[in-house]
Amino acid sequence: MSDVSDPIFARIAARYDLINRILSLGQETRWRARGIDMLAAGTVLDLGCGTGATDFKGRVVVGLDPVIEMLALSPVRDRVVGAGESLPFREGSLDGVFSGFVFRNLSSIDDTLAEIDRVLKPGSTAVVVDLSRPRNGVLRFLHRIGSAVLLPLVGLLVAGAPREYWYLHRSLDSLPSPEALFSGHALTPEHIWRMGIFGFVYGVRLRKATS
């Protein structure tokens, strides 16, 4: 994760899940679940697990996050302090990787995707769910205005942290579309979908080669 993001998430850890529920109008759990349903059974890495609130539906979960304050709130038994750019797992040791609302905060997406490819078993799947701007130009403009107002306001009212959620607004413009972001890597993007108002939430299923 980015060094810049660590103190931000450390400060809002206690109210992180509440703010996400408010901002997503209660839909965040459903967005995550759609991606998790695409993972195989077995041992799954929750990359950037935060407080560990994601339901993996009976799978064995290892949670990884750089923010100790977040991990301290997690009910997941196996928790590791670490970053996506350097995963502390053996080659080919995991049946799946899930990452929810993390990729905008990575220092290197290229390095993280290479690491995910390294630790996955051949033929296994990784799923990324995150935020992006809408594809339509008009909707993208409206969404940019709305997030500039709404995100700091909710951060102020719920967590007393408007500057931290202004960072979230800016991060939405930091990356290209998922169609461009996940092309040209060892992991093959099999399916990309959009969710949420204006389609500002995306999911992507990535497959590791079988050999």
Side-chain angles (χ1 to χ4, degrees):
M1 307 295 166
S2 163
D3 292 337
V4 174
S5 73
D6 292 0
I8 290 175
F9 289 108
R11 181 178 175 185
I12 63 176
R15 297 192 178 183
Y16 179 73
D17 293 324
L18 173 61
I19 294 175
N20 286 347
R21 286 194 296 272
I22 293 172
L23 291 175
S24 69
L25 300 177
Q27 296 300 299
E28 182 195 6
T29 298
R30 184 172 64 85
W31 296 336
R32 290 175 181 267
R34 181 171 174 181
I36 288 165
D37 286 342
M38 298 182 184
L39 295 172
T43 301
V44 173
L45 171 65
D46 187 358
L47 195 164
C49 62
T51 62
T54 303
D55 180 6
F56 281 88
K57 304 179 181 180
R59 295 171 178 83
V60 177
V61 181
V62 179
L64 179 140
D65 203 281
V67 184
I68 296 174
E69 291 84 354
M70 287 280 196
L71 283 174
L73 300 173
S74 173
V76 175
R77 185 187 66 180
D78 297 321
R79 291 168 288 174
V80 180
V81 177
E85 296 84 358
S86 181
L87 295 175
F89 306 104
R90 297 191 310 276
E91 181 176 343
S93 60
L94 298 172
D95 298 294
V97 174
F98 176 80
S99 181
F101 306 102
V102 168
F103 263 58
R104 286 167 296 106
N105 304 313
L106 293 170
S107 298
S108 173
I109 288 175
D110 290 346
D111 289 349
T112 299
L113 289 173
E115 279 290 273
I116 292 173
D117 180 68
R118 180 182 66 80
V119 301
L120 278 175
K121 294 177 181 178
S124 296
T125 299
V127 173
V128 176
V129 175
D130 211 327
L131 305 177
S132 181
R133 295 296 185 189
R135 286 174 289 188
N136 178 276
V138 174
L139 296 181
R140 185 164 56 249
F141 174 74
L142 294 174
H143 188 262
R144 184 173 288 114
I145 293 174
S147 66
V149 175
L150 180 62
L151 291 175
L153 179 61
V154 172
L156 172 64
L157 295 177
V158 180
R163 294 178 63 183
E164 283 77 355
Y165 278 82
W166 176 251
Y167 158 81
L168 174 56
H169 160 72
R170 290 189 293 107
S171 74
L172 290 170
D173 294 309
S174 64
L175 296 175
S177 69
E179 289 79 8
L181 184 63
F182 294 99
S183 64
H185 298 280
L187 294 167
T188 301
E190 292 186 321
H191 179 43
I192 298 175
W193 66 97
R194 293 273 182 163
M195 304 171 283
I197 299 172
F198 300 160
F200 76 104
V201 181
Y202 74 82
V204 55
R205 181 180 66 205
L206 304 159
R207 179 78 63 180
K208 177 172 180 171
T210 56
S211 60

